[in-house]
Amino acid sequence: MNLCFNNSKISAISAVAGKNIEDNLKKAMTFTDEVKAKKIIKSLGFKNLRYTDTDITTADLCIACANNIFSHNIINREDVDALIFITQTPDSLFPATSFFIQKELQLSKNIFLYDLTLGCSGYVYGLLFANQLIASGTAKNVLLCCGDTSRTTKNEYNQPANTLLFGDAGSCTLVQHENNNEKSYFSCYSNGDLRNIINNDAFSFRKFRKDPNINLANYFSCQINGLELANFTMNETKNEIIDIVHNANLSFEDISYCIAHQANKNLLKSLALSLGQTTEFIPFLSENTGNTSSASIPIGLVENKNNLPKLKEKPTILSGFGVGLSVVNAIVNLKDTQLLDPIYM
Amino acid sequence: MTSREQILQDIINIIEPIDEITEDTEIKTSDDIDSLALFNIVLYLNTKGKKPTLEQLQSLNKVKDIIDIACND
């Protein structure tokens, strides 16, 4: 699915990561020897994982980011007319967490609230939806909040190396209507056949309906099939990136960077090489934060804004891929986007 | 045409080795050249227009064999 939008802009991006730092090599050496541990860390690229205290939720992280945007006088909070919250770690099953965020931010009651369960592709998916709201006239000032407290929530995995992947982070992005004739392009690919490649059955009503005596806490375990995920990335994600550049009548020379979901260093390197590009084109930005799910693109941007000078020169590809499985890509203009300094909490 | 030195440097950039990598580095005994590194090297060769066969890949012995593939017309 390919879409093109006019007259919107990404005005500001704020992102937060956990204030606590975990040394990944030390952690790896709790389940393997030093030589293997170093190889694993080199391949993943995550030297450290950032994580929050356990009483902080994803919503709290996003609220801090939204308040950061308000404190920079980029927009008045009463002018926000849509809030999108994307996470896999909501505050509660119901009511939707966006109602809590609305209350905490003291946003208008005349607002469109929307919650969506997505992980690694969530940020770009949210940007697509924000553009749809603007294009349809539903909203003019959209707050896109997304992130996950994966490090402190998904504490059980099918493989020990998967404990070296995830950090905690949140973000808030302001997308606004503006008569600028600026085009942004999106593509969206979803494949439910591959839904079990990344899977967590906690709170699964499908399991509970079949057996009401089941203890769902036993299913609070994240299953990741890394090989299948890598295969998906090297095929679907790569092809979707090629297609969106083609559909926008651009070439890779017209693009500043492809800021991709920070799955891990080696996967991004493979993706870059498969596109015939350098690792500078698809930079690894999360050596000291980890894979932070739907927040990995915004936290990567704000933490590394001084090392990404071409953002101000050319359009940028944003590429989200992962759980679903799904790929959502965008070509957007970040030339005038305010990338606020990162927060750690 | 890219020089052997440049190709070696590209391979080093891809592998990001802990130990020194030279043309004479043995692929099978190097801790730095694992299957993921080899996968990325194959992708790199593809960008050079080279599509090594499985047979060629299985017969790789030293880093210079990879460079030979990249350099051969």
Side-chain angles (χ1 to χ4, degrees), chain A residues 217-234:
Chain A
N218 292 339
Y219 290 91
F220 212 73
S221 169
C222 186
Q223 311 289 316
I224 303 172
N225 184 330
L227 197 60
E228 287 288 340
L229 187 58
N231 183 43
F232 178 82
T233 305
M234 297 308 298

Side-chain angles (χ1 to χ4, degrees), chain A residues 84-255:
Chain A
I84 303 165
F85 181 56
I86 300 178
T87 190
Q88 297 177 125
T89 47
D91 277 13
S92 56
L93 200 55
F94 58 86
T97 308
S98 58
F99 288 87
F100 174 74
I101 298 175
Q102 177 209 19
K103 177 188 85 73
E104 288 296 305
L105 291 175
Q106 299 172 344
L107 301 178
S108 164
K109 301 285 191 293
N110 296 313
I111 189 170
F112 180 90
L113 301 178
Y114 188 80
D115 291 62
L116 182 62
T117 305
L118 261 181
C120 310
S121 60
Y123 182 68
V124 192
Y125 209 106
L127 286 177
L128 190 165
F129 193 57
N131 273 276
Q132 283 180 325
L133 290 176
I134 289 169
S136 69
T138 308
K140 288 187 173 174
N141 302 301
V142 183
L143 284 187
L144 166 62
C145 294
C146 57
D148 267 309
T149 44
S150 306
R151 162 63 178 75
T152 41
T153 306
K154 296 176 192 164
N155 50 8
E156 289 180 29
Y157 294 88
N158 55 329
Q159 292 178 324
N162 288 339
T163 63
L164 307 172
L165 292 175
F166 295 105
D168 299 336
S171 66
C172 182
T173 298
L174 174 62
V175 186
Q176 293 184 285
H177 174 265
E178 186 181 74
N179 290 318
N180 56 11
N181 258 333
E182 194 78 54
K183 280 189 169 63
S184 51
Y185 300 88
F186 287 85
S187 70
C188 182
Y189 173 91
S190 309
N191 190 341
D193 292 341
L194 304 176
R195 66 195 178 282
N196 290 326
I197 302 295
I198 310 172
N199 169 260
N200 188 334
D201 274 337
F203 311 114
S204 164
F205 285 103
R206 181 167 293 281
K207 285 198 184 298
F208 184 69
R209 298 286 286 179
K210 281 184 180 167
D211 179 5
N213 296 318
I214 205 167
N215 182 359
L216 288 176
N218 292 339
Y219 290 91
F220 212 73
S221 169
C222 186
Q223 311 289 316
I224 303 172
N225 184 330
L227 197 60
E228 287 288 340
L229 187 58
N231 183 43
F232 178 82
T233 305
M234 297 308 298
N235 288 290
E236 266 44 81
T237 305
K238 181 193 81 172
N239 292 337
E240 288 287 307
I241 289 173
I242 291 169
D243 282 352
I244 196 172
V245 172
H246 174 76
N247 289 330
N249 288 320
L250 297 171
S251 68
F252 283 107
E253 286 71 37
D254 300 317
I255 302 292

Side-chain angles (χ1 to χ4, degrees), chain A residues 35 38-39 42-43 234 265-266 269-277, chain B residues 13-18 31-32 34 36-37 39-41 43-44 47:
Chain A
V35 173
K38 281 182 176 169
K39 284 182 78 170
K42 193 186 94 172
S43 177
M234 297 308 298
K265 186 177 183 179
N266 201 69
K269 187 187 288 182
S270 299
L271 184 59
L273 288 166
S274 71
L275 289 165
Q277 300 296 318
Chain B
N13 290 343
I14 289 166
I15 299 172
E16 297 182 58
I18 294 166
D31 279 339
D32 289 305
D34 57 12
L36 289 173
F39 177 66
N40 282 336
I41 288 169
L43 292 173
Y44 166 75
T47 67

Side-chain angles (χ1 to χ4, degrees), chain A residues 310-330:
Chain A
K310 293 180 194 168
L311 288 178
K312 301 287 178 193
E313 298 166 11
K314 298 175 180 179
T316 301
I317 296 174
L318 303 178
S319 180
F321 54 89
V323 67
L325 295 178
S326 58
V327 184
V328 189
N329 292 324

